[in-house]
Amino acid sequence: MIRTLEPRDLPGLLAVQRACYGEGFVESAEVFARRLASPANCSLAAEQGGRIVGYLAAYRSLLGKVTPLHGDFEAVDAPDTLYVHDMAVLPACAGQGIARALLAPLLHGARSEGLRHSALVAVQGAQGYWARHGYAPWALHDTAQRQRLVGYGSDAVYMAM
């Protein structure tokens, strides 16, 4: 079942994060609690048998604005972009279409709201995955945004569609 990500889901979200990422990418419950409280938040959870098996952390933002790792979802005036900050599915549930089930309704909802773009930072070799979903590398011209991107590691790529 795909549904809105809620504060009660934080223990499950953290378990998915730990199963999917190295320590450098694990973000705290406190950070996620602040994100869920943001008026720009539109994150989703995938639930099976009463447990969180995947999530997509996203919010309404601006094209070219990078959310720093461990950063908050900052509400902006006149958002034009669905920013996909993080999507993860338990490795044991891979291949079940959970990631697509999380992404599709958010992209559809973003278009319905008039958001013209979607953007993300691809990490840990995920650039090819996101390219198959229509994202392409996007040049960041703002120095502050490039610095935020560096915080994700040397292989991080800002992508948009």
Side-chain angles (χ1 to χ4, degrees), residues 56 82 84 87-89 95-108 111 116-120 122 125-137 159-161:
L56 196 162
L82 171 69
V84 176
M87 183 169 66
V89 174
Q96 297 178 17
I98 294 170
R100 185 176 302 276
L102 286 164
L103 187 59
L106 271 187
L107 290 175
H108 178 75
R111 287 185 203 104
R116 297 184 316 269
H117 310 282
S118 181
L120 54 87
Q127 186 175 347
Y129 173 84
W130 291 111
R132 289 189 298 277
H133 288 279
Y135 291 85
M159 302 179 79
M161 68 172 173

Coordinates of all heavy atoms in Angstrom, one line a residue, residues 56 82 84 87-89 95-108 111 116-120 122 125-137 159-161:
L56 N 9.6 7.4 -0.2 CA 10.1 8.4 -1.1 C 9.9 9.8 -0.4 O 8.8 10.2 -0.1 CB 9.3 8.4 -2.4 CG 9.9 9.2 -3.6 CD1 9.3 8.7 -4.9 CD2 9.9 10.7 -3.4
L82 N 9.2 19.3 -8.3 CA 9.1 18.2 -7.3 C 10.6 17.8 -7.1 O 11.2 17.3 -8.0 CB 8.3 17.1 -7.9 CG 8.3 15.8 -7.0 CD1 7.6 16.1 -5.7 CD2 7.7 14.6 -7.7
V84 N 12.9 15.2 -5.5 CA 13.0 13.9 -4.9 C 14.3 13.8 -4.1 O 15.4 13.6 -4.7 CB 12.9 12.8 -6.0 CG1 13.1 11.4 -5.5 CG2 11.6 13.0 -6.8
M87 N 14.8 8.1 -2.2 CA 13.9 7.0 -2.3 C 14.6 5.7 -2.1 O 15.7 5.5 -2.6 CB 13.3 6.9 -3.8 CG 12.3 5.8 -3.9 SD 11.3 5.9 -5.5 CE 12.6 5.6 -6.7
A88 N 14.1 4.9 -1.2 CA 14.7 3.6 -0.9 C 13.7 2.5 -0.6 O 12.6 2.8 -0.1 CB 15.6 3.8 0.4
V89 N 14.1 1.3 -1.0 CA 13.2 0.1 -0.8 C 14.1 -1.0 -0.2 O 15.3 -1.1 -0.6 CB 12.7 -0.4 -2.2 CG1 11.9 -1.7 -2.0 CG2 11.8 0.7 -2.8
G95 N 12.6 -5.5 -6.9 CA 12.0 -6.2 -8.0 C 10.5 -6.3 -8.0 O 9.9 -6.9 -8.8
Q96 N 9.8 -5.8 -6.9 CA 8.4 -5.9 -6.8 C 7.7 -4.6 -7.3 O 6.4 -4.6 -7.2 CB 8.0 -6.0 -5.3 CG 8.5 -7.3 -4.7 CD 8.2 -7.4 -3.2 OE1 7.3 -6.7 -2.7 NE2 8.9 -8.3 -2.5
G97 N 8.4 -3.7 -7.9 CA 7.7 -2.5 -8.5 C 7.4 -1.4 -7.4 O 6.6 -0.5 -7.7
I98 N 8.0 -1.5 -6.2 CA 7.7 -0.6 -5.1 C 8.2 0.8 -5.5 O 7.5 1.8 -5.3 CB 8.2 -1.1 -3.8 CG1 7.5 -2.4 -3.4 CG2 8.1 -0.1 -2.7 CD1 8.1 -3.1 -2.2
A99 N 9.4 0.9 -6.0 CA 9.9 2.2 -6.3 C 9.1 2.9 -7.4 O 8.8 4.1 -7.2 CB 11.4 2.1 -6.8
R100 N 8.7 2.2 -8.4 CA 7.8 2.8 -9.4 C 6.5 3.2 -8.8 O 5.9 4.3 -9.1 CB 7.6 1.8 -10.6 CG 6.8 2.4 -11.7 CD 6.7 1.4 -12.9 NE 8.0 1.0 -13.4 CZ 8.8 1.7 -14.3 NH1 8.3 2.8 -14.7 NH2 9.9 1.2 -14.7
A101 N 5.9 2.4 -7.9 CA 4.7 2.7 -7.3 C 4.8 3.9 -6.4 O 3.8 4.6 -6.2 CB 4.2 1.5 -6.4
L102 N 5.9 4.2 -5.8 CA 6.1 5.4 -5.0 C 6.3 6.6 -5.9 O 5.7 7.7 -5.7 CB 7.4 5.3 -4.2 CG 7.3 4.4 -2.9 CD1 8.6 4.0 -2.4 CD2 6.4 5.0 -1.9
L103 N 7.1 6.5 -7.0 CA 7.4 7.6 -7.9 C 6.2 8.1 -8.7 O 6.0 9.3 -8.9 CB 8.6 7.3 -8.7 CG 9.2 8.4 -9.6 CD1 9.7 9.6 -8.7 CD2 10.4 7.8 -10.4
A104 N 5.5 7.2 -9.3 CA 4.4 7.5 -10.3 C 3.4 8.5 -9.7 O 3.1 9.5 -10.4 CB 3.8 6.2 -10.9
P105 N 2.8 8.2 -8.5 CA 1.8 9.1 -8.1 C 2.3 10.5 -7.7 O 1.6 11.5 -7.9 CB 1.2 8.4 -6.8 CG 2.2 7.4 -6.4 CD 2.9 7.0 -7.7
L106 N 3.6 10.6 -7.3 CA 4.1 11.9 -7.0 C 4.4 12.7 -8.2 O 4.1 13.9 -8.2 CB 5.5 11.7 -6.2 CG 5.4 11.7 -4.7 CD1 6.7 11.7 -4.0 CD2 4.5 12.8 -4.1
L107 N 4.9 12.0 -9.3 CA 5.1 12.8 -10.5 C 3.7 13.2 -11.1 O 3.6 14.4 -11.6 CB 5.8 11.9 -11.5 CG 7.3 11.6 -11.2 CD1 7.9 10.7 -12.2 CD2 8.1 12.9 -11.2
H108 N 2.8 12.4 -11.0 CA 1.4 12.7 -11.5 C 0.9 13.9 -10.7 O 0.3 14.9 -11.3 CB 0.5 11.5 -11.5 CG -0.9 11.8 -11.9 ND1 -1.2 12.0 -13.3 CD2 -2.0 12.0 -11.2 CE1 -2.5 12.3 -13.3 NE2 -3.0 12.3 -12.1
R111 N 2.6 17.2 -11.6 CA 2.1 17.8 -12.9 C 0.7 18.4 -12.6 O 0.4 19.5 -13.2 CB 2.0 16.7 -13.9 CG 3.4 16.3 -14.5 CD 3.3 15.4 -15.6 NE 4.6 14.6 -15.7 CZ 4.7 13.4 -15.3 NH1 3.7 12.7 -14.8 NH2 5.9 12.8 -15.4
R116 N 6.5 22.2 -13.1 CA 7.0 21.9 -14.5 C 8.1 20.9 -14.5 O 8.5 20.4 -15.6 CB 7.3 23.2 -15.1 CG 6.1 24.1 -15.3 CD 6.5 25.4 -16.1 NE 7.7 26.0 -15.7 CZ 7.9 27.0 -14.8 NH1 6.8 27.4 -14.1 NH2 9.0 27.5 -14.5
H117 N 8.8 20.7 -13.4 CA 10.0 20.0 -13.3 C 10.0 19.0 -12.2 O 9.3 19.1 -11.2 CB 11.3 20.9 -13.2 CG 11.3 22.0 -14.1 ND1 11.7 21.9 -15.4 CD2 11.0 23.3 -14.0 CE1 11.6 23.1 -16.0 NE2 11.2 23.9 -15.2
S118 N 11.0 18.0 -12.2 CA 11.3 17.2 -11.1 C 12.8 17.1 -11.1 O 13.5 17.1 -12.1 CB 10.7 15.8 -11.2 OG 11.1 15.1 -10.1
A119 N 13.4 17.1 -9.9 CA 14.9 17.1 -9.8 C 15.3 16.3 -8.6 O 14.5 16.0 -7.7 CB 15.4 18.6 -9.6
L120 N 16.6 15.9 -8.6 CA 17.1 15.1 -7.5 C 18.6 15.1 -7.6 O 19.2 15.6 -8.6 CB 16.6 13.6 -7.6 CG 16.8 12.9 -9.0 CD1 18.1 12.3 -9.1 CD2 15.7 11.9 -9.2
A122 N 21.4 12.2 -7.7 CA 21.7 10.8 -7.9 C 23.0 10.5 -7.1 O 24.0 11.2 -7.3 CB 21.8 10.4 -9.3
G125 N 25.9 5.6 -7.6 CA 25.8 5.0 -8.9 C 24.4 4.9 -9.5 O 24.1 4.2 -10.4
A126 N 23.5 5.7 -8.9 CA 22.0 5.6 -9.3 C 21.7 6.5 -10.6 O 20.5 6.5 -11.0 CB 21.1 6.0 -8.2
Q127 N 22.7 7.1 -11.2 CA 22.4 8.0 -12.3 C 21.7 7.2 -13.4 O 20.7 7.7 -14.0 CB 23.7 8.6 -12.8 CG 23.4 9.6 -13.9 CD 24.7 10.3 -14.3 OE1 25.7 10.2 -13.6 NE2 24.7 11.0 -15.4
G128 N 22.1 6.0 -13.8 CA 21.4 5.3 -14.8 C 20.0 4.9 -14.5 O 19.1 5.0 -15.4
Y129 N 19.7 4.6 -13.2 CA 18.4 4.3 -12.8 C 17.5 5.5 -13.0 O 16.4 5.4 -13.6 CB 18.3 3.9 -11.3 CG 16.9 3.8 -10.8 CD1 16.2 2.6 -10.9 CD2 16.3 4.8 -10.1 CE1 14.9 2.5 -10.5 CE2 15.0 4.7 -9.7 CZ 14.3 3.5 -9.8 OH 13.0 3.4 -9.4
W130 N 17.9 6.7 -12.6 CA 17.1 7.9 -12.7 C 17.0 8.3 -14.2 O 15.9 8.8 -14.6 CB 17.6 9.0 -11.9 CG 17.4 8.7 -10.4 CD1 18.4 8.4 -9.5 CD2 16.2 8.6 -9.7 NE1 17.8 8.1 -8.3 CE2 16.4 8.3 -8.4 CE3 14.8 8.8 -10.1 CZ2 15.4 8.1 -7.4 CZ3 13.8 8.7 -9.2 CH2 14.1 8.3 -7.9
A131 N 18.0 8.0 -15.0 CA 17.9 8.3 -16.4 C 16.8 7.5 -17.1 O 16.1 8.0 -18.0 CB 19.3 8.1 -17.1
R132 N 16.6 6.3 -16.7 CA 15.6 5.4 -17.2 C 14.2 6.0 -16.9 O 13.2 5.6 -17.5 CB 15.7 4.0 -16.7 CG 16.9 3.3 -17.4 CD 16.9 1.8 -17.1 NE 17.0 1.4 -15.7 CZ 18.2 1.4 -15.0 NH1 19.3 1.7 -15.6 NH2 18.2 1.0 -13.7
H133 N 14.1 6.8 -15.9 CA 12.8 7.5 -15.5 C 12.7 8.9 -16.1 O 11.8 9.6 -15.7 CB 12.7 7.5 -14.0 CG 12.5 6.1 -13.4 ND1 11.2 5.5 -13.4 CD2 13.3 5.2 -12.9 CE1 11.3 4.3 -12.8 NE2 12.6 4.1 -12.5
G134 N 13.6 9.2 -17.0 CA 13.5 10.5 -17.7 C 14.3 11.6 -17.1 O 14.3 12.8 -17.7
Y135 N 15.1 11.4 -16.1 CA 16.0 12.5 -15.6 C 17.3 12.5 -16.4 O 17.8 11.5 -16.8 CB 16.3 12.2 -14.1 CG 15.1 12.3 -13.2 CD1 14.2 11.3 -13.0 CD2 14.9 13.5 -12.5 CE1 13.1 11.4 -12.1 CE2 13.8 13.6 -11.6 CZ 12.9 12.6 -11.5 OH 11.8 12.7 -10.7
A136 N 17.8 13.7 -16.5 CA 19.1 13.9 -17.1 C 20.0 14.9 -16.3 O 19.4 15.7 -15.6 CB 18.9 14.5 -18.5
P137 N 21.3 14.7 -16.4 CA 22.2 15.7 -15.7 C 21.8 17.1 -16.0 O 21.5 17.4 -17.1 CB 23.6 15.3 -16.2 CG 23.5 13.9 -16.6 CD 22.1 13.7 -17.2
M159 N 20.2 16.0 -11.2 CA 19.5 15.6 -12.4 C 18.1 16.2 -12.4 O 17.6 16.4 -11.3 CB 19.4 14.0 -12.5 CG 20.7 13.3 -12.5 SD 20.6 11.5 -12.6 CE 20.2 11.3 -14.3
A160 N 17.6 16.5 -13.5 CA 16.2 17.0 -13.6 C 15.5 16.6 -14.9 O 16.1 16.0 -15.8 CB 16.3 18.6 -13.6
M161 N 14.2 16.8 -14.9 CA 13.4 16.5 -16.1 C 12.3 17.5 -16.1 O 12.0 18.2 -15.2 CB 12.9 15.1 -16.1 CG 11.8 14.8 -15.1 SD 11.2 13.1 -15.5 CE 10.2 12.9 -14.1

